Structure formats: C-alpha cells, structure tokens
Amino acid sequence: MNFKINKSTKIYISGCGGMLGLAMYNLFSKLANVKATDIDVNEDWLTYADVRDMESIKASINEFDPDVIINLAAITDMELCEKESDNAWRTNSLGSENVALIALQLNIPHVYISTAGIFGGEKEFFNDFDTPNPLSVYAKSKYAGELFVKQTLPKYFVVRAGWMMGGGPVKDKKFINKIYKQLLEGKTTLDVVDDKLGTPTYTVDFAKGILALLESGYYGVYNQVCPGSCSRYEVAVSFIKQLEMENIININRVSSDFFSKEYYAPRPQSEKLINMKLIARNLLVMRDWETCLTEYSLEYKQNWNSR
Ligand SMILES: NC(=O)c1ccc[n+]([C@@H]2O[C@H](COP(=O)([O-])OP(=O)(O)OC[C@H]3O[C@@H](n4cnc5c(N)ncnc54)[C@H](OP(=O)(O)O)[C@@H]3O)[C@@H](O)[C@H]2O)c1
C-alpha cells in the first residue's frame, strides 16, 4: 500500500520527546494529524505514554486510531544501557514489541528506528543486507526490536540511522552537543577520538526520508544516513570550523582507550552505513554530512552569540 500523507492522515509517534522526535514533529505536524507521546513530556504538543507498559501505550494509540505508527522510543545512552540493562531490554526490545503488536492489531504500517550500532565493525562499510553482530546492550536490545518488527509485521519500515545530530543545544544528547557543552564550560582543548568511524545522520533530513519511504509503500529494512563518512575527529574539526573557532580551540586526537572509563560500552570500530537500497529505489533524500553539519551548526552559532 502506498498513500499520500495529508491533513487527514493520523500519525502516532511514540518516544517523540527526543532529538529525532523534534524534527519528526516539526515535519509531520505540518502535513498530517499527529499525536506525539513520550515519558518525558517536555513540549506542550507531547502527552504521556510509556512503551514498556502495554496498557498505557495501547490506550494512548487506540484512542487516536492512527493510520501509521512511528516508534522512536528508546534508551539511547549506551552506558546507561550497560548499567541498567533490564530497563534497556524493557524499553528498546519489549517496548518496541508492544508498539509493533498494536500496529499489527490495527493492520497499519509501522516505522521502527534501528541503529548502525547493530553491526560489529568487522569491516568498514555495511549495506542494508549485511549481517548484524551487536556488541553492546544498547545494540543488542535495539536489534531485538528490529528482529521482532521484521519477523512479525507485514507492513513495516525498519530505518537504520548512524551518528544522530539534531535537536540543538537543548535536545541533542550526542556528540555535537557534548562538544558544544565543553565549549560552554570554557575548554580550549578538546580530546576527540580518531579511531571510531561512522556516518552522521541529520535528524531534519532523516525525517524527510521517513516521509518519502512511507509514501513509497516499499516496506522493508533501510539504511538511512548522510552520504559520506568520517571519524569522530573529523566531525569535531568540521564543527569547530563552522563555529569559526579553529584559531582558539585545539583538537587533540586520542584513541578510544583514552575514554575507556567514561565510555565503557563496547562500540564497533566502524559503523559506517551505505544507503544501497534507498539509492537503488531513488528514495535517498539525505544530504552529505558536511552540508548538514553546516546547517545544524547555525543553531549552535546563534546559541553561542546569545549567551
Ligand atoms: N541518537 C542516536 O545517535 C541514534 C542513532 C541511531 C538510532 N537511533 C534511534 O533513533 C530513535 C530516536 O532516538 P533519538 O536519537 O531521538 O534519542 P532520544 O533523544 O534519546 O529520544 C528517545 C526518546 O524516547 C524516550 N523514551 C525512553 N523510554 C521511553 C519509554 N519507555 N516510553 C516512551 N518514550 C521513552 C526518551 O525519554 P528519556 O530522555 O526520558 O529517556 C526520549 O525522549 C531511537 O529509536 C534510537 O534508538 C538513535
């Protein structure tokens, strides 16, 4: 089935209070009738629903009677997943099963967001068909959610993201904001790893890609990342350049061992994704990572100038 999303299309988005949720809400609420929920009700357009609790999430979804369900809910802090693994499994796996089962009962399309982190880093690039080998609790629990969706639903999109950037200084929990917070603290030397490789994924483009996929009706698994690839070090260099701080900030290359106490969850050396299927089906809307980072950095420039 494919359909054109319009104002009467009802789209339910769980876990919409985070960095991807903001871009999703901004895009889809202009086009369709959206109900957005999260356990962290940090916007006036969010209501409470917990994907771990079947009764809570089922009541919230059924009351809306959606045409599509998109599940973004996850514990995305990899160290927290190691520390509180029970909650990681209940949120990322059981919670994803709960939402998928409701989509199955309603016989409507379902979108599940997976991660490049499900690959084990045995090689440099991973296409849509490569075999996952998740290393961490986060990756294992996300992959369990992915497997259930694939094995159970007839109408699904599993869309795998890479290193997410988006949400700005308030919502971004990942690398860009971690760098920015160090700048706010007055640091002039940043230690950044150069031995972790991946593909940045801009939330604004990623949301547009989900729209394109939904309207295509081509169900299945898709890698969806910004074209091009890099190391964490290269992302930091580019971000500092965008902020025009390259003359005052020194970026010190370090290996992952440097951060082994702070970032102890196992991570693959490379989690670079290739958008093989999106390109083949002419559905790739993601712009290259440096173009996206240039756009995204404007939010940080503004924030910096308004301190
Ligand atoms: N961030 C990345 O680098 C990345 C990369 C690849 C894939 N993904 C996937 O992309 C999706 C969106 O993540 P994101 O990047 O937007 O991360 P995020 O900012 O952490 O958003 C996830 C949201 O889900 C919420 N949540 C947690 N437990 C929940 C529950 N039991 N019920 C309902 N909501 C719950 C979180 O609330 P709390 O903040 O209170 O936990 C948060 O608001 C996730 O499925 C994630 O696994 C993320």
Side-chain angles (χ1 to χ4, degrees), residues 14-22 37-40 42 46 48-53 57 71-77 80 87 90-92 95-96 112-117 138 142 159-165 171-175 201 203 206 232 271:
S14 47
C16 201
M19 47 197 289
L20 177 58
L22 183 63
T37 64
D38 202 293
I39 51 167
D40 179 7
N42 54 49
L46 282 167
Y48 184 87
D50 184 343
V51 298
R52 292 166 299 187
D53 175 358
I57 189 71
N71 182 23
L72 312 179
I75 305 288
T76 54
D77 178 326
L80 190 61
N87 194 27
R90 289 199 305 127
T91 307
N92 301 351
S96 301
Y112 173 77
I113 312 302
S114 190
T115 169
Y138 171 69
K142 287 295 296 179
V159 193
R160 297 181 184 138
W163 293 342
M164 205 74 93
M165 38 184 211
K171 291 207 171 182
D172 189 328
K173 297 173 181 152
K174 294 293 172 173
F175 185 72
T201 305
T203 55
F206 192 84
R232 292 286 191 194
E271 46 183 308

Side-chain angles (χ1 to χ4, degrees), residues 21-303:
L22 183 63
M24 292 290 287
Y25 184 80
N26 286 343
L27 176 70
F28 282 93
S29 63
K30 287 196 187 84
L31 307 170
N33 179 2
V34 171
K35 179 171 180 180
T37 64
D38 202 293
I39 51 167
D40 179 7
V41 183
N42 54 49
E43 303 276 1
D44 59 9
W45 42 262
L46 282 167
T47 52
Y48 184 87
D50 184 343
V51 298
R52 292 166 299 187
D53 175 358
M54 185 53 132
E55 292 317 309
S56 155
I57 189 71
K58 194 172 179 181
S60 173
I61 293 175
N62 284 348
E63 180 265 331
F64 187 56
D65 190 23
D67 301 301
V68 177
I69 302 174
I70 301 173
N71 182 23
L72 312 179
I75 305 288
T76 54
D77 178 326
M78 294 183 64
E79 277 61 43
L80 190 61
C81 287
E82 299 292 320
K83 252 194 310 210
E84 298 177 10
S85 61
D86 186 60
N87 194 27
W89 287 105
R90 289 199 305 127
T91 307
N92 301 351
S93 316
L94 176 72
S96 301
E97 289 196 9
N98 287 343
V99 181
L101 282 171
I102 300 164
L104 182 68
Q105 286 182 344
L106 295 174
N107 192 25
I108 58 176
H110 178 53
V111 179
Y112 173 77
I113 312 302
S114 190
T115 169
I118 62 171
F119 292 107
E122 303 83 0
K123 54 181 186 163
E124 189 174 356
F125 290 97
F126 296 88
N127 73 29
D128 316 65
F129 299 103
D130 275 311
T131 305
N133 174 24
L135 305 177
S136 65
V137 172
Y138 171 69
K140 286 175 185 168
S141 60
K142 287 295 296 179
Y143 185 51
E146 173 179 321
L147 275 178
F148 185 82
V149 167
K150 290 192 288 198
Q151 289 166 357
T152 313
L153 300 191
K155 301 175 190 173
Y156 71 82
F157 298 94
V158 167
V159 193
R160 297 181 184 138
W163 293 342
M164 205 74 93
M165 38 184 211
V170 175
K171 291 207 171 182
D172 189 328
K173 297 173 181 152
K174 294 293 172 173
F175 185 72
I176 295 293
N177 213 14
K178 285 181 181 170
I179 294 283
Y180 186 66
K181 282 179 180 161
Q182 293 181 55
L183 300 177
L184 287 177
E185 285 163 12
K187 273 199 171 183
T188 52
T189 296
L190 307 174
D191 297 312
V192 181
V193 299
D194 65 358
D195 59 355
K196 287 287 184 282
L197 312 174
T199 30
T201 305
Y202 187 34
T203 55
V204 172
D205 287 32
F206 192 84
K208 289 180 186 157
I210 289 179
L211 172 65
L213 274 169
L214 272 170
E215 291 196 331
S216 77
Y218 299 151
Y219 298 123
V221 177
Y222 291 89
N223 291 350
Q224 181 172 262
V225 294
C226 290
S229 62
C230 48
S231 65
R232 292 286 191 194
Y233 174 79
E234 287 168 296
V235 177
V237 168
S238 183
F239 182 50
I240 293 300
K241 202 167 145 212
Q242 292 303 331
L243 296 180
E244 296 170 32
M245 292 184 177
E246 64 267 45
N247 294 329
I248 47 172
I249 301 297
N250 174 39
I251 307 180
N252 186 29
R253 286 172 180 260
V254 296
S255 79
S256 299
D257 293 342
F258 185 87
F259 286 111
S260 59
K261 282 216 169 71
E262 198 177 336
Y263 295 116
Y264 51 82
R267 289 167 166 83
Q269 192 195 348
S270 177
E271 46 183 308
K272 293 183 183 178
L273 296 187
I274 303 171
N275 300 307
M276 179 195 273
K277 283 172 68 178
L278 287 175
I279 293 169
R281 292 186 174 148
N282 205 18
L283 286 168
L284 183 69
V285 302
M286 307 287 296
R287 294 167 294 166
D288 72 87
W289 72 267
E290 284 189 282
T291 303
C292 291
L293 184 54
T294 302
E295 184 175 304
Y296 187 41
S297 299
L298 292 176
E299 289 186 45
Y300 286 90
K301 256 190 194 166
Q302 270 171 9
N303 187 279

